[in-house]
Amino acid sequence: SNATNLSSDDGLDSATNITNSVSGAKGVLIYESSGNTTLSVTGEPEFSDISKSISRGSSNSNRGFHLISNPYPCTLGWAEFYSDNSSIIDDAFYTYNGTSNTFSTFDSGDNIDIAHSQSVYIKKTGTGSSNLSFSVSQTLNTQAAFYKSINGINRKLEIVLQNNQTSKTVSY
């Protein structure tokens, strides 16, 4: 969806229950309370190119932000992703820090990539609609840092990947 004002919840679709599905490349913010919560992801990992429509309705500088997600089960190279989309987005991505209630900004000069399953904000440069391109050729075989807020409890985020033959747990 298209964020239209400078507010952390603009343009976001609220989940109504834990079984809501999420389409590829759509960003998700996950808030949880104390205690243990299990989130399950089912389906085949994404290994194809994805085109995602993004829009900007006004040239107002607060408009055109989109929460997107790395749809691949590996690191998405920011330099490669930006190079393929430089005609429609700024050379920056933003992560929200709930602890300080601020946004951190990263660009090509920072040499930081997007971890698998990481959601980030990007900003469309011009008005109208354009297709954002995610490509398998933009992926890297390195592990990028996963940015998350410290919520006072400081619990780790654990992602378990499994199929009927193997299981892999990644903790952040």
Side-chain angles (χ1 to χ4, degrees), residues 95-104 148-150:
T95 60
Y96 181 68
N97 182 329
T99 305
S100 63
N101 198 29
T102 60
F103 287 89
S104 299
K148 63 184 175 81
S149 298
I150 304 301

Side-chain angles (χ1 to χ4, degrees), residues 43-54:
E44 296 291 321
E46 189 63 60
F47 290 110
S48 61
D49 294 348
I50 296 172
S51 180
K52 178 172 176 46
S53 179
I54 59 172

Side-chain angles (χ1 to χ4, degrees), residues 68-123:
I68 62 167
S69 177
N70 174 358
Y72 302 112
C74 53
T75 299
L76 182 68
W78 173 253
E80 293 79 1
F81 178 77
Y82 174 68
S83 176
D84 289 350
N85 293 286
S86 62
S87 64
I88 62 169
I89 63 172
D90 283 342
D91 179 17
F93 66 91
Y94 312 87
T95 60
Y96 181 68
N97 182 329
T99 305
S100 63
N101 198 29
T102 60
F103 287 89
S104 299
T105 304
F106 305 97
D107 61 30
S108 295
D110 293 318
N111 197 29
I112 293 178
D113 298 308
I114 303 170
H116 73 85
S117 305
Q118 177 81 58
S119 291
V120 298
Y121 287 94
I122 52 99
K123 185 176 184 183

Side-chain angles (χ1 to χ4, degrees), residues 3-12 29 62 65 96 101 103 121:
T4 56
N5 297 306
L6 191 58
S7 172
S8 60
D9 63 353
D10 270 345
L12 302 179
L29 291 176
N62 293 339
F65 288 92
Y96 181 68
N101 198 29
F103 287 89
Y121 287 94

Side-chain angles (χ1 to χ4, degrees), residues 54-72:
I54 59 172
S55 61
R56 182 175 178 177
S58 163
S59 59
N60 180 307
S61 63
N62 293 339
R63 311 273 171 123
F65 288 92
H66 293 268
L67 183 64
I68 62 167
S69 177
N70 174 358
Y72 302 112

